[in-house]
Short mmCIF file of all heavy atoms in Angstrom, two decimals:
data_model
loop_
_atom_site.label_atom_id
_atom_site.label_comp_id
_atom_site.label_asym_id
_atom_site.label_seq_id
_atom_site.Cartn_x
_atom_site.Cartn_y
_atom_site.Cartn_z
N ARG A 1 -9.92 -8.17 -6.24
CA ARG A 1 -9.78 -6.94 -5.43
C ARG A 1 -8.41 -6.83 -4.85
O ARG A 1 -7.79 -5.77 -4.80
CB ARG A 1 -10.78 -6.81 -4.35
CG ARG A 1 -12.24 -6.70 -4.87
CD ARG A 1 -13.30 -6.58 -3.80
NE ARG A 1 -14.62 -6.66 -4.34
CZ ARG A 1 -15.77 -6.50 -3.67
NH1 ARG A 1 -15.66 -6.27 -2.36
NH2 ARG A 1 -16.96 -6.54 -4.19
N PHE A 2 -7.75 -7.96 -4.47
CA PHE A 2 -6.39 -7.93 -3.93
C PHE A 2 -5.46 -7.49 -5.04
O PHE A 2 -4.57 -6.60 -4.79
CB PHE A 2 -6.03 -9.35 -3.46
CG PHE A 2 -6.44 -9.70 -2.11
CD1 PHE A 2 -7.36 -8.96 -1.42
CD2 PHE A 2 -5.83 -10.82 -1.42
CE1 PHE A 2 -7.71 -9.23 -0.03
CE2 PHE A 2 -6.28 -11.16 -0.11
CZ PHE A 2 -7.15 -10.37 0.52
N GLU A 3 -5.59 -7.98 -6.23
CA GLU A 3 -4.67 -7.65 -7.34
C GLU A 3 -4.92 -6.19 -7.76
O GLU A 3 -4.01 -5.52 -8.05
CB GLU A 3 -4.97 -8.60 -8.49
CG GLU A 3 -4.51 -10.02 -8.21
CD GLU A 3 -4.81 -10.93 -9.32
OE1 GLU A 3 -5.78 -10.75 -10.09
OE2 GLU A 3 -4.06 -11.94 -9.57
N GLU A 4 -6.17 -5.74 -7.62
CA GLU A 4 -6.45 -4.30 -7.96
C GLU A 4 -5.69 -3.43 -7.04
O GLU A 4 -5.21 -2.44 -7.45
CB GLU A 4 -7.94 -4.11 -8.04
CG GLU A 4 -8.35 -2.60 -8.33
CD GLU A 4 -9.86 -2.49 -8.17
OE1 GLU A 4 -10.33 -2.55 -6.97
OE2 GLU A 4 -10.57 -2.22 -9.14
N ARG A 5 -5.76 -3.76 -5.72
CA ARG A 5 -5.14 -3.00 -4.71
C ARG A 5 -3.64 -2.88 -4.97
O ARG A 5 -3.04 -1.81 -4.71
CB ARG A 5 -5.46 -3.52 -3.32
CG ARG A 5 -6.86 -3.33 -2.89
CD ARG A 5 -7.11 -3.86 -1.48
NE ARG A 5 -8.45 -3.50 -1.02
CZ ARG A 5 -9.03 -3.79 0.18
NH1 ARG A 5 -8.20 -4.50 1.04
NH2 ARG A 5 -10.17 -3.51 0.58
N GLU A 6 -3.03 -3.94 -5.36
CA GLU A 6 -1.61 -3.90 -5.58
C GLU A 6 -1.23 -2.97 -6.73
O GLU A 6 -0.15 -2.37 -6.86
CB GLU A 6 -1.09 -5.28 -5.86
CG GLU A 6 -1.08 -6.17 -4.63
CD GLU A 6 -0.27 -7.49 -4.89
OE1 GLU A 6 -0.35 -8.00 -6.00
OE2 GLU A 6 0.31 -7.99 -3.87
N LYS A 7 -2.15 -2.81 -7.69
CA LYS A 7 -1.83 -2.11 -8.94
C LYS A 7 -2.13 -0.60 -8.78
O LYS A 7 -1.52 0.25 -9.55
CB LYS A 7 -2.67 -2.62 -10.08
CG LYS A 7 -2.27 -4.04 -10.54
CD LYS A 7 -3.25 -4.59 -11.51
CE LYS A 7 -2.99 -6.02 -11.96
NZ LYS A 7 -3.99 -6.53 -12.87
N ILE A 8 -2.98 -0.14 -7.87
CA ILE A 8 -3.39 1.19 -7.76
C ILE A 8 -2.61 1.82 -6.58
O ILE A 8 -2.79 1.40 -5.43
CB ILE A 8 -4.91 1.32 -7.60
CG1 ILE A 8 -5.69 0.59 -8.74
CG2 ILE A 8 -5.38 2.71 -7.33
CD1 ILE A 8 -7.16 0.59 -8.58
N PRO A 9 -1.85 2.86 -6.86
CA PRO A 9 -0.96 3.47 -5.82
C PRO A 9 -1.70 3.88 -4.54
O PRO A 9 -1.31 3.56 -3.46
CB PRO A 9 -0.37 4.68 -6.54
CG PRO A 9 -0.30 4.32 -7.99
CD PRO A 9 -1.52 3.45 -8.19
N HIS A 10 -2.88 4.54 -4.67
CA HIS A 10 -3.58 5.04 -3.51
C HIS A 10 -4.31 3.90 -2.73
O HIS A 10 -4.86 4.17 -1.63
CB HIS A 10 -4.46 6.21 -3.73
CG HIS A 10 -5.69 5.83 -4.58
ND1 HIS A 10 -5.66 5.90 -6.00
CD2 HIS A 10 -6.93 5.31 -4.25
CE1 HIS A 10 -6.80 5.57 -6.45
NE2 HIS A 10 -7.58 5.20 -5.37
N LYS A 11 -4.29 2.68 -3.34
CA LYS A 11 -4.97 1.54 -2.59
C LYS A 11 -3.93 0.53 -2.14
O LYS A 11 -4.26 -0.42 -1.40
CB LYS A 11 -5.98 0.86 -3.47
CG LYS A 11 -7.15 1.72 -3.84
CD LYS A 11 -8.19 0.83 -4.56
CE LYS A 11 -9.51 1.61 -4.75
NZ LYS A 11 -10.51 0.81 -5.56
N ALA A 12 -2.65 0.75 -2.42
CA ALA A 12 -1.65 -0.30 -2.13
C ALA A 12 -1.49 -0.55 -0.71
O ALA A 12 -1.17 -1.64 -0.23
CB ALA A 12 -0.31 0.14 -2.81
N TYR A 13 -1.72 0.52 0.19
CA TYR A 13 -1.53 0.38 1.54
C TYR A 13 -2.44 -0.68 2.14
O TYR A 13 -2.25 -1.17 3.27
CB TYR A 13 -1.70 1.69 2.27
CG TYR A 13 -3.09 2.19 2.50
CD1 TYR A 13 -3.79 1.94 3.64
CD2 TYR A 13 -3.68 2.84 1.41
CE1 TYR A 13 -5.12 2.42 3.75
CE2 TYR A 13 -5.04 3.27 1.51
CZ TYR A 13 -5.68 3.07 2.69
OH TYR A 13 -6.99 3.49 2.85
N LYS A 14 -3.64 -0.87 1.45
CA LYS A 14 -4.64 -1.80 2.00
C LYS A 14 -4.24 -3.27 1.84
O LYS A 14 -4.99 -4.07 2.45
CB LYS A 14 -5.97 -1.58 1.26
CG LYS A 14 -6.63 -0.21 1.43
CD LYS A 14 -7.93 -0.11 0.68
CE LYS A 14 -8.68 1.18 0.89
NZ LYS A 14 -9.96 1.20 0.21
N ILE A 15 -3.33 -3.57 1.15
CA ILE A 15 -2.97 -5.04 0.88
C ILE A 15 -1.67 -5.33 1.58
O ILE A 15 -0.69 -4.62 1.33
CB ILE A 15 -3.00 -5.38 -0.61
CG1 ILE A 15 -2.67 -6.85 -0.77
CG2 ILE A 15 -2.02 -4.52 -1.43
CD1 ILE A 15 -3.89 -7.77 -0.50
N THR A 16 -1.57 -6.31 2.38
CA THR A 16 -0.39 -6.76 3.13
C THR A 16 -0.17 -8.19 3.00
O THR A 16 -1.02 -8.99 2.48
CB THR A 16 -0.50 -6.33 4.66
OG1 THR A 16 -1.55 -7.19 5.24
CG2 THR A 16 -0.89 -4.90 4.82
N ALA A 17 0.99 -8.58 3.45
CA ALA A 17 1.30 -10.11 3.46
C ALA A 17 0.34 -10.73 4.32
O ALA A 17 0.00 -11.99 4.03
CB ALA A 17 2.79 -10.23 3.98
N GLU A 18 -0.16 -10.12 5.38
CA GLU A 18 -1.14 -10.73 6.25
C GLU A 18 -2.41 -11.11 5.47
O GLU A 18 -3.08 -12.10 5.70
CB GLU A 18 -1.51 -9.81 7.38
CG GLU A 18 -2.38 -10.39 8.49
CD GLU A 18 -1.69 -11.42 9.43
OE1 GLU A 18 -0.50 -11.51 9.33
OE2 GLU A 18 -2.41 -12.02 10.20
N ASP A 19 -2.79 -10.26 4.56
CA ASP A 19 -4.07 -10.53 3.78
C ASP A 19 -3.89 -11.79 2.94
O ASP A 19 -4.82 -12.64 2.80
CB ASP A 19 -4.36 -9.39 2.91
CG ASP A 19 -4.72 -8.12 3.67
OD1 ASP A 19 -5.46 -8.26 4.67
OD2 ASP A 19 -4.25 -6.99 3.31
N TRP A 20 -2.70 -11.93 2.27
CA TRP A 20 -2.52 -13.13 1.51
C TRP A 20 -2.40 -14.33 2.35
O TRP A 20 -2.88 -15.42 2.02
CB TRP A 20 -1.16 -12.97 0.68
CG TRP A 20 -1.32 -12.01 -0.42
CD1 TRP A 20 -0.66 -10.72 -0.54
CD2 TRP A 20 -2.04 -12.12 -1.60
NE1 TRP A 20 -1.04 -10.19 -1.69
CE2 TRP A 20 -1.90 -10.97 -2.44
CE3 TRP A 20 -2.78 -13.18 -2.12
CZ2 TRP A 20 -2.44 -10.78 -3.68
CZ3 TRP A 20 -3.46 -12.99 -3.39
CH2 TRP A 20 -3.26 -11.82 -4.13
N ARG A 21 -1.84 -14.24 3.55
CA ARG A 21 -1.73 -15.34 4.50
C ARG A 21 -3.16 -15.80 4.91
O ARG A 21 -3.51 -16.96 4.98
CB ARG A 21 -0.85 -15.03 5.70
CG ARG A 21 -0.42 -16.21 6.45
CD ARG A 21 0.48 -15.77 7.61
NE ARG A 21 -0.24 -14.91 8.56
CZ ARG A 21 -1.10 -15.44 9.52
NH1 ARG A 21 -1.31 -16.72 9.69
NH2 ARG A 21 -1.73 -14.71 10.38
N ASN A 22 -3.99 -14.82 5.23
CA ASN A 22 -5.39 -15.14 5.59
C ASN A 22 -6.13 -15.82 4.47
O ASN A 22 -6.97 -16.68 4.69
CB ASN A 22 -6.10 -13.86 6.06
CG ASN A 22 -5.59 -13.34 7.44
OD1 ASN A 22 -4.94 -14.07 8.13
ND2 ASN A 22 -5.85 -12.08 7.68
N ARG A 23 -5.88 -15.34 3.27
CA ARG A 23 -6.52 -15.95 2.05
C ARG A 23 -6.26 -17.37 1.96
O ARG A 23 -7.09 -18.26 1.54
CB ARG A 23 -6.22 -15.11 0.82
CG ARG A 23 -6.77 -15.73 -0.42
CD ARG A 23 -6.54 -14.85 -1.70
NE ARG A 23 -6.74 -15.65 -2.88
CZ ARG A 23 -7.91 -15.87 -3.39
NH1 ARG A 23 -9.03 -15.41 -2.79
NH2 ARG A 23 -8.05 -16.63 -4.50
N ALA A 24 -4.99 -17.75 2.31
CA ALA A 24 -4.60 -19.09 2.15
C ALA A 24 -5.36 -20.05 3.15
O ALA A 24 -5.45 -21.28 2.89
CB ALA A 24 -3.07 -19.28 2.42
N LYS A 25 -5.99 -19.42 4.17
CA LYS A 25 -6.80 -20.13 5.13
C LYS A 25 -8.27 -19.94 4.87
O LYS A 25 -9.08 -19.98 5.88
CB LYS A 25 -6.40 -19.73 6.57
CG LYS A 25 -4.95 -20.05 6.92
CD LYS A 25 -4.69 -19.76 8.37
CE LYS A 25 -3.17 -20.25 8.74
NZ LYS A 25 -2.95 -19.93 10.13
N TRP A 26 -8.65 -19.65 3.66
CA TRP A 26 -10.07 -19.32 3.34
C TRP A 26 -11.01 -20.42 3.89
O TRP A 26 -12.00 -20.09 4.52
CB TRP A 26 -10.24 -19.23 1.77
CG TRP A 26 -11.64 -18.95 1.40
CD1 TRP A 26 -12.65 -19.88 1.27
CD2 TRP A 26 -12.17 -17.71 1.00
NE1 TRP A 26 -13.78 -19.28 0.85
CE2 TRP A 26 -13.51 -17.91 0.71
CE3 TRP A 26 -11.65 -16.39 0.91
CZ2 TRP A 26 -14.37 -16.87 0.27
CZ3 TRP A 26 -12.55 -15.41 0.49
CH2 TRP A 26 -13.86 -15.68 0.12
N ASN A 27 -10.78 -21.71 3.71
CA ASN A 27 -11.68 -22.70 4.20
C ASN A 27 -11.80 -22.76 5.67
O ASN A 27 -12.91 -23.03 6.18
CB ASN A 27 -11.26 -24.12 3.61
CG ASN A 27 -11.52 -24.23 2.18
OD1 ASN A 27 -12.56 -23.71 1.70
ND2 ASN A 27 -10.69 -24.88 1.41
N GLU A 28 -10.70 -22.56 6.40
CA GLU A 28 -10.82 -22.59 7.84
C GLU A 28 -11.70 -21.34 8.30
O GLU A 28 -12.49 -21.52 9.22
CB GLU A 28 -9.38 -22.40 8.43
CG GLU A 28 -8.58 -23.66 8.31
CD GLU A 28 -7.63 -23.57 7.11
OE1 GLU A 28 -8.01 -22.98 6.06
OE2 GLU A 28 -6.46 -23.96 7.29
N TYR A 29 -11.47 -20.25 7.73
CA TYR A 29 -12.36 -19.05 8.12
C TYR A 29 -13.81 -19.30 7.64
O TYR A 29 -14.69 -18.82 8.34
CB TYR A 29 -11.72 -17.76 7.41
CG TYR A 29 -10.58 -17.21 8.19
CD1 TYR A 29 -9.27 -17.27 7.81
CD2 TYR A 29 -10.87 -16.50 9.37
CE1 TYR A 29 -8.21 -16.77 8.61
CE2 TYR A 29 -9.83 -15.91 10.20
CZ TYR A 29 -8.56 -16.05 9.71
OH TYR A 29 -7.51 -15.52 10.54
N ARG A 30 -13.93 -19.91 6.49
CA ARG A 30 -15.33 -20.12 5.97
C ARG A 30 -16.02 -21.04 6.95
O ARG A 30 -17.25 -20.81 7.27
CB ARG A 30 -15.19 -20.85 4.64
CG ARG A 30 -16.49 -21.19 3.98
CD ARG A 30 -16.07 -21.53 2.53
NE ARG A 30 -17.17 -22.32 1.80
CZ ARG A 30 -17.28 -23.57 1.88
NH1 ARG A 30 -16.33 -24.33 2.47
NH2 ARG A 30 -18.20 -24.24 1.11
N THR A 31 -15.41 -22.12 7.45
CA THR A 31 -16.03 -23.01 8.44
C THR A 31 -16.33 -22.26 9.78
O THR A 31 -17.44 -22.40 10.29
CB THR A 31 -15.06 -24.23 8.71
OG1 THR A 31 -14.99 -24.90 7.43
CG2 THR A 31 -15.72 -25.15 9.74
N ALA A 32 -15.34 -21.50 10.22
CA ALA A 32 -15.53 -20.81 11.45
C ALA A 32 -16.61 -19.76 11.36
O ALA A 32 -17.49 -19.51 12.26
CB ALA A 32 -14.22 -20.06 11.85
N THR A 33 -16.79 -19.03 10.21
CA THR A 33 -17.80 -18.05 9.98
C THR A 33 -19.13 -18.70 9.99
O THR A 33 -20.14 -18.17 10.64
CB THR A 33 -17.65 -17.32 8.57
OG1 THR A 33 -16.35 -16.69 8.65
CG2 THR A 33 -18.72 -16.34 8.32
N ALA A 34 -19.36 -19.78 9.27
CA ALA A 34 -20.57 -20.48 9.19
C ALA A 34 -21.06 -20.91 10.58
O ALA A 34 -22.22 -20.73 11.06
CB ALA A 34 -20.56 -21.73 8.29
N GLU A 35 -20.16 -21.46 11.37
CA GLU A 35 -20.45 -21.93 12.77
C GLU A 35 -20.79 -20.70 13.70
O GLU A 35 -21.77 -20.77 14.39
CB GLU A 35 -19.28 -22.68 13.36
CG GLU A 35 -19.11 -24.06 12.78
CD GLU A 35 -17.99 -24.84 13.39
OE1 GLU A 35 -17.58 -24.45 14.44
OE2 GLU A 35 -17.58 -25.90 12.89
N MET A 36 -20.07 -19.59 13.48
CA MET A 36 -20.35 -18.39 14.23
C MET A 36 -21.76 -17.88 14.00
O MET A 36 -22.50 -17.53 14.90
CB MET A 36 -19.29 -17.31 13.81
CG MET A 36 -19.57 -16.00 14.40
SD MET A 36 -18.58 -14.65 13.57
CE MET A 36 -19.58 -14.48 12.02
N ILE A 37 -22.12 -17.80 12.74
CA ILE A 37 -23.48 -17.20 12.40
C ILE A 37 -24.55 -18.15 12.97
O ILE A 37 -25.53 -17.71 13.51
CB ILE A 37 -23.61 -17.13 10.82
CG1 ILE A 37 -22.64 -15.99 10.37
CG2 ILE A 37 -25.03 -16.74 10.44
CD1 ILE A 37 -22.61 -15.87 8.82
N GLU A 38 -24.35 -19.47 12.76
CA GLU A 38 -25.31 -20.45 13.28
C GLU A 38 -25.50 -20.32 14.84
O GLU A 38 -26.59 -20.47 15.36
CB GLU A 38 -25.02 -21.82 12.87
CG GLU A 38 -25.11 -22.07 11.37
CD GLU A 38 -24.56 -23.44 10.90
OE1 GLU A 38 -23.90 -24.04 11.75
OE2 GLU A 38 -24.94 -23.82 9.75
#
């Protein structure tokens, strides 16, 4: 979905450097999410 957003003009605004940076921390967010739900 990230790559699709970069390719489609009217969706390009949805993808930022912040999104890629957050993706690099997927596991930290995954752990935090699981603990949050529990």
Side-chain angles (χ1 to χ4, degrees):
R1 294 182 186 182
F2 276 14
E3 293 177 330
E4 180 185 67
R5 287 180 174 183
E6 288 190 327
K7 295 174 183 176
I8 300 176
H10 68 268
K11 290 187 177 183
Y13 76 95
K14 294 183 177 182
I15 184 74
T16 66
E18 185 76 7
D19 295 318
W20 287 109
R21 195 177 66 80
N22 290 342
R23 176 175 163 78
K25 296 185 177 182
W26 178 280
N27 283 325
E28 292 96 321
Y29 277 104
R30 180 167 161 270
T31 299
T33 299
E35 291 183 11
M36 172 194 77
I37 293 173
E38 290 173 347

